[in-house]
Amino acid sequence: MSVSSLLTPDALAALTREMQGWRHHLHAHPETAFEEVKTAAFVVERLQAFGVDEIHQGIGKTGVVGIIRGQQDGPWLGLRADMDALDLHEDNDFAHRSQTPGKMHACGHDGHTAMLLGAASFLARHRTFAGTVALIFQPAEENEGGGRAMVEDGLFERFPIASVYGLHNWPGLDSGHFAIRPGPMMASYDIFEITLNGKGAHAAMPHLGRDVLVASSELVLALQTIAARTVSPLDSAVVSVTQIHGGDTWNVLPQISVIRGTVRTFDLAVQDLVEQRLRDIAQGIAVLHGITATVRYERRYPPTINAAEQSRIAAQAATAVVGAERVDLDPRPSMGAEDFAFLQQACPGAYIWLGAGPGQSGCMLHNPGYDFNDDILGVGARYWVQLVQTILPLPSTGA
Ligand SMILES: [Zn+2]
Ligand SMILES: [Zn+2]
């Protein structure tokens, strides 16, 4: 019997009830970047109860890796879920709402953790596969790069993982459908801060100063020409100014103004181009106004680029679970970012979206009214099990 065929509708129904319980517990107790102490302990407790072979804690601070060996030897396969919540006040009033004011699972990582636990529970009991599964429970996906922390902490040196797979629920994509494409799936995430330093003056005598606010206004508009006039129309880039800080009162021209924002691209060459152009424009505007510009540009997350072979395998597994008509093989990439990109830089991998439907009251990710759609827990767990079947089949069962 192949491992995926053992996951019968009855077994799946029982598992789904368990996953829902775990998911609601995690939702009620959200923890944010690198503070996922209770969440990690919850994961460890479950993995111990399932009887996985090894549990490694503290990888990338609060990350956890569980190991399940199949009946026969074979390659190592990495399955990754993120565990962290967001700094956001939850608007919902259902029983499992956040019990920690100002923190909320608004990206569905509670569901991701529950689905990987569900698959772990099943795989620990049914080891009809040839190889080793590494269950990667990752901290700090939001903003802080927990994926990078795990990679830098030796994730791929400590465990000889040959390929790695990630999954994210996707409101707006039909419930229980999948979407994946080779190449760019999600964008890079860069931040910038430009400090303009001029000469403060009486607002009634601007000729005696060097006005940073007029320069800031020009700069914000000029930055918009990067995507419009510098990057090829056939490539993609977003340059968004999100903060302007300068001045305190009515009649003073401030000395300093600070402009901050974010840049998104899919391609390293475009990323290089945007950064260079942003620096040039800041210096050019500064020269024009006789002031100085200091630019801090920080590359946070690289783009999420699916490897061709792993993307094909992920699509094959998704198709086996829900049928070809429910797998979109050419979705438009998202300008959002995802730190699974760090795992993909270290190891061939593929990242798939699992449709969450319209979502709780039509809410998108990061909305205070969002809740993970429990209807897709079963599909997600089946996908993980099918991926193990597809990549690590027992020789006797065929591929
Ligand atoms: Zn998020
Ligand atoms: Zn997320």
Side-chain angles (χ1 to χ4, degrees), residues 196 211-220 257 259 285-286 289 291:
L196 298 181
D211 188 349
V212 292
L213 294 186
V214 169
S216 297
S217 307
E218 280 183 26
L219 180 53
V220 171
S257 160
I259 293 169
I285 298 272
H289 288 266
I291 62 175

Side-chain angles (χ1 to χ4, degrees), residues 198-333:
K199 186 178 174 195
H202 195 300
M205 304 165 207
H207 59 292
L208 299 178
R210 296 285 184 185
D211 188 349
V212 292
L213 294 186
V214 169
S216 297
S217 307
E218 280 183 26
L219 180 53
V220 171
L221 292 176
L223 292 176
Q224 293 312 306
T225 65
I226 298 176
R229 302 286 94 173
T230 300
V231 174
S232 162
L234 298 178
D235 290 327
S236 302
V238 177
V239 179
S240 285
V241 172
T242 55
Q243 303 177 43
I244 306 177
H245 301 278
D248 296 301
T249 188
W250 307 98
N251 57 355
V252 174
L253 296 175
Q255 171 94 19
I256 284 174
S257 160
V258 178
I259 293 169
R260 300 196 183 103
T262 182
V263 171
R264 310 295 172 112
T265 64
F266 289 119
D267 180 297
L268 184 62
V270 176
Q271 195 178 18
D272 288 344
L273 179 68
V274 171
E275 177 179 350
Q276 190 54 52
R277 190 70 188 139
L278 183 141
R279 289 180 182 280
D280 291 347
I281 288 174
Q283 296 309 331
I285 298 272
V287 168
L288 195 64
H289 288 266
I291 62 175
T292 62
T294 309
V295 178
R296 180 167 76 90
Y297 192 99
E298 201 179 295
R299 298 188 181 200
R300 286 273 171 113
Y301 294 179
T304 300
I305 309 282
N306 280 337
E309 173 68 1
Q310 281 65 36
S311 184
R312 188 189 62 73
I313 291 168
Q316 186 187 336
T319 301
V321 173
V322 297
E325 68 282 6
R326 294 191 182 83
V327 182
D328 182 354
L329 297 176
D330 191 22
R332 301 186 81 179

Side-chain angles (χ1 to χ4, degrees), residues 1-13 71 122-123 125-129 317 320-321 381-390 392-394 396-399:
M1 289 284 272
S2 67
V3 67
S4 55
S5 66
L6 294 168
L7 189 51
T8 59
D10 280 355
L12 186 65
Q71 268 175 21
F122 184 80
L123 292 168
R125 276 178 283 139
H126 304 283
R127 302 188 181 222
T128 46
F129 54 92
V321 173
R382 279 176 67 205
Y383 169 71
W384 287 133
V385 171
Q386 183 61 47
L387 208 48
V388 172
Q389 170 62 31
T390 304
L392 309 176
L394 283 176
S396 54
T397 64

Side-chain angles (χ1 to χ4, degrees), residues 86 107 109 141-142 168 365-366:
L86 282 155
C107 206
H109 300 182
E141 193 287 317
E142 306 283 359
H168 207 293
L365 303 171
H366 293 204

